[in-house]
Amino acid sequence: MNKTTVYVVDDDRAMCESLKWLIESVNMPVKTFSTAHDFLEHYDTNSHGCLVLDMRMPTMSGFELQEELSNSSIKLPIIFITGYGDIPMAVRAMKNGAIDFITKPFNDQELLDSINKAIKKDAERFACDGELNHLQGIINKLTPRELEVAKLIISGNSNKLIAKILQISPKTVEVHRAKVMTKTGMSSLADLVTLFIKVGYKQN
Amino acid sequence: MNKTTVYVVDDDRAMCESLKWLIESVNMPVKTFSTAHDFLEHYDTNSHGCLVLDMRMPTMSGFELQEELSNSSIKLPIIFITGYGDIPMAVRAMKNGAIDFITKPFNDQELLDSINKAIKKDAERFACDGELNHLQGIINKLTPRELEVAKLIISGNSNKLIAKILQISPKTVEVHRAKVMTKTGMSSLADLVTLFIKVGYKQN
DNA sequence: AATACTATAGGTAGTTATCCCGATATGAGG
DNA sequence: CCTCATATCGGGATAACTACCTATAGTATT
């Protein structure tokens, strides 16, 4: 697990330095980038924290980076800062999932508070994702056939029915079922259903 | 089920009339109010649609109404319109769950688009809530004892174990269990677990 | 007082699931 | 060629669940 980092992307070097100094003053690791491309190249998809992002930048604007990130399923919380913003811009940024939009000049504490909130939110997301990946990993251990049987089980079918559906002997279904339970480590049908629902399987 | 209505709250009579005219021009029912209090008095909690809300108003601001509504668990989507807004105000409104924040003078189509999105979103929420209430209603038909047994069942306990936990005969647990299944209309344990998870019961 | 619902409990039979033992066939990899 | 994983199938025993019947006692409603 990587440590949490505050990423700063701003084309203004002085602003980058100022932000770096501010954020490091509260003992948070900071990485600064002067362009969106620079950030995208050096960003480690496994790291977490938050992104402090200038709106107006050459070659790639803050908006474009935000979209790029959301398309790449990178869910790093974004805090926009800008000196030239207007309301439609702020609204659009928020609609696109930014967690804050701060205008320059800003109050230092205001930004730090926002960063803390963002990091907290990202940590929650990370914990949640980790749990999900873990559960998904458990399910991925099943063979295709076992998964097939498992899905039929959690849809409420009995072994006998599953046997008819899959055109195999009920005895084989029993074997698969037992394998599913031992491999997933679930000790009851209820737990198995819960597991599958958690990872997003729906039996509509 | 009530029809969908666009609620307009603005202290400026002329603006109210103008909005009413605009929205009715696309055949959507409108109700206008000149104060937040007026709206709160006449609002039917069962109705749905969306709320077009002026920010700056006497006695109760748009913000205050938004907070009031979120505290009353009224989840009507809110579109703010204002002539005197700034970015922090817009950001705060969006953070509080507004779905749009539009500045006067606004483009008519822009507002209508936003209203349509809001209504769509509310309809989804309504459908979702309706489903949930229905499922909750099913569970509410259970007697306290049956609910107790049901929870133990979906936590993966066997009848025998439940009997020990509740200090009653396994036979009685069987009876409760059968009652739970017939009352909920679920035909398998898997379906029962799914039902309880849908209404938010977790066995952590 | 009669009725209905709830919680309790037993019997008996049948179905289903679980767990132990076994077996065969197939294909991938060393 | 041997091994391992996978998928298939069987017998037999035990445990668990389901479905039908019965019954009693308390509480609430009418």
Side-chain angles (χ1 to χ4, degrees), chain A residues 20-105:
Chain A
K20 187 178 163 72
W21 177 85
L22 171 64
I23 300 165
E24 281 180 342
S25 77
V26 290
N27 292 317
M28 271 191 278
V30 182
K31 282 183 186 170
T32 63
F33 304 90
S34 57
T35 71
H37 294 100
D38 199 18
F39 167 75
L40 282 171
E41 272 173 35
H42 293 88
Y43 173 66
D44 172 12
T45 38
N46 289 324
S47 77
H48 49 289
C50 73
L51 173 58
V52 177
L53 183 54
D54 187 31
M55 201 39 131
R56 182 178 296 191
M57 291 184 299
T59 71
M60 188 188 257
S61 75
F63 269 142
E64 289 170 297
L65 179 55
Q66 183 182 32
E67 252 180 58
E68 184 81 16
L69 291 178
S70 85
N71 288 338
S72 333
S73 72
I74 297 176
K75 292 165 192 161
L76 208 59
I78 296 177
I79 297 166
F80 279 107
I81 53 173
T82 181
Y84 311 94
D86 54 22
I87 290 183
M89 192 185 278
V91 171
R92 183 176 154 203
M94 296 301 286
K95 277 188 190 169
N96 288 343
I99 73 152
D100 211 344
F101 190 100
I102 298 173
T103 50
K104 297 182 206 172

Side-chain angles (χ1 to χ4, degrees), chain A residues 24-204:
Chain A
E24 281 180 342
S25 77
V26 290
N27 292 317
M28 271 191 278
V30 182
K31 282 183 186 170
T32 63
F33 304 90
S34 57
T35 71
H37 294 100
D38 199 18
F39 167 75
L40 282 171
E41 272 173 35
H42 293 88
Y43 173 66
D44 172 12
T45 38
N46 289 324
S47 77
H48 49 289
C50 73
L51 173 58
V52 177
L53 183 54
D54 187 31
M55 201 39 131
R56 182 178 296 191
M57 291 184 299
T59 71
M60 188 188 257
S61 75
F63 269 142
E64 289 170 297
L65 179 55
Q66 183 182 32
E67 252 180 58
E68 184 81 16
L69 291 178
S70 85
N71 288 338
S72 333
S73 72
I74 297 176
K75 292 165 192 161
L76 208 59
I78 296 177
I79 297 166
F80 279 107
I81 53 173
T82 181
Y84 311 94
D86 54 22
I87 290 183
M89 192 185 278
V91 171
R92 183 176 154 203
M94 296 301 286
K95 277 188 190 169
N96 288 343
I99 73 152
D100 211 344
F101 190 100
I102 298 173
T103 50
K104 297 182 206 172
F106 52 84
N107 175 281
D108 283 358
Q109 194 53 48
E110 179 191 5
L111 179 62
L112 290 177
D113 287 347
S114 194
I115 288 175
N116 276 324
K117 267 189 204 163
I119 287 176
K120 204 171 177 181
K121 189 178 173 186
D122 195 48
E124 280 168 20
R125 181 187 62 76
F126 189 79
C128 192
D129 279 13
E131 174 71 2
L132 260 188
N133 285 336
H134 175 235
L135 298 180
Q136 188 65 56
I138 289 176
I139 290 183
N140 288 144
K141 286 205 191 84
L142 299 177
T143 68
R145 195 56 157 176
E146 283 162 359
L147 183 62
E148 201 173 357
V149 173
K151 285 183 177 179
L152 289 167
I153 291 174
I154 66 173
S155 298
N157 300 97
S158 70
N159 286 350
K160 201 181 278 188
L161 254 175
I162 296 171
K164 275 187 184 166
I165 294 170
L166 298 180
Q167 293 283 297
I168 55 178
S169 157
K171 208 68 198 183
T172 308
V173 178
E174 281 180 31
V175 177
H176 288 317
R177 184 180 197 131
K179 263 285 186 185
V180 167
M181 297 308 279
T182 56
K183 275 190 176 179
T184 60
M186 300 295 117
S187 55
S188 73
L189 173 55
D191 291 339
L192 188 71
V193 174
T194 307
L195 169 67
F196 271 74
I197 289 181
K198 274 184 185 169
V199 300
Y201 176 76
K202 305 268 188 294
Q203 63 263 57
N204 308 324

Side-chain angles (χ1 to χ4, degrees), chain B residues 143 145 168-169 171-172 176:
Chain B
T143 67
R145 194 58 155 175
I168 56 179
S169 156
K171 205 71 200 183
T172 307
H176 288 317

Side-chain angles (χ1 to χ4, degrees), chain B residues 134-153:
Chain B
H134 175 236
L135 298 181
Q136 187 64 58
I138 289 176
I139 290 183
N140 287 342
K141 286 204 190 85
L142 300 177
T143 67
R145 194 58 155 175
E146 283 162 359
L147 183 62
E148 201 172 357
V149 172
K151 286 183 177 179
L152 288 168
I153 290 173

